[in-house]
């Protein structure tokens, strides 16, 4: 959602339909594994020094701890087909 979104109502409608979409989603273990790898690649993507500094500052200002970040990683890595 963005203040620049020209279709805010349509965007909200899509968000509201997310739960139904996920309930009807049929995935196999291979697809789950690929999704986990992709998510971890996004979370722990390579950053240049200036981007690392900005990310660290953002986490500091938001109060996000290293333990919280590790917990999120562990939860993502521990995701199973049954949880969908």
């Amino acid at each position: 959602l963005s203040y620049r979104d020209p279709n805010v109502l349509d965007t909200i409608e899509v968000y509201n339909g997310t739960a139904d979409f996920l309930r009807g989603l049929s995935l196999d273990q291979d697809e789950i594994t690929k999704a986990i790898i992709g998510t971890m690649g996004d979370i722990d993507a390579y950053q240049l020094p200036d981007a690392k500094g900005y990310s660290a500052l953002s986490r500091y200002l938001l109060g996000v701890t290293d333990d919280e970040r590790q917990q999120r990683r562990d939860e993502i890595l521990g995701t199973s087909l049954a949880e969908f």
Side-chain angles (χ1 to χ4, degrees), residues 28-67:
D28 61 25
Q29 188 58 47
D30 187 48
E31 291 171 314
I32 294 289
T33 301
K34 288 177 186 175
I36 290 170
I37 291 169
T39 301
M40 292 306 297
D42 290 343
I43 289 175
D44 290 334
Y46 175 76
Q47 292 183 317
L48 293 173
D50 62 329
K52 275 186 181 181
Y54 179 77
S55 294
L57 175 63
S58 295
R59 286 192 303 272
Y60 174 78
L61 293 174
L62 293 171
V64 177
T65 66
D66 289 338
D67 289 338

Side-chain angles (χ1 to χ4, degrees), residues 3 14 21 36 48 53 57 64 71 78 81:
Y3 71 91
V14 169
F21 172 79
I36 290 170
L48 293 173
L57 175 63
V64 177
Q71 179 182 354
L81 190 57

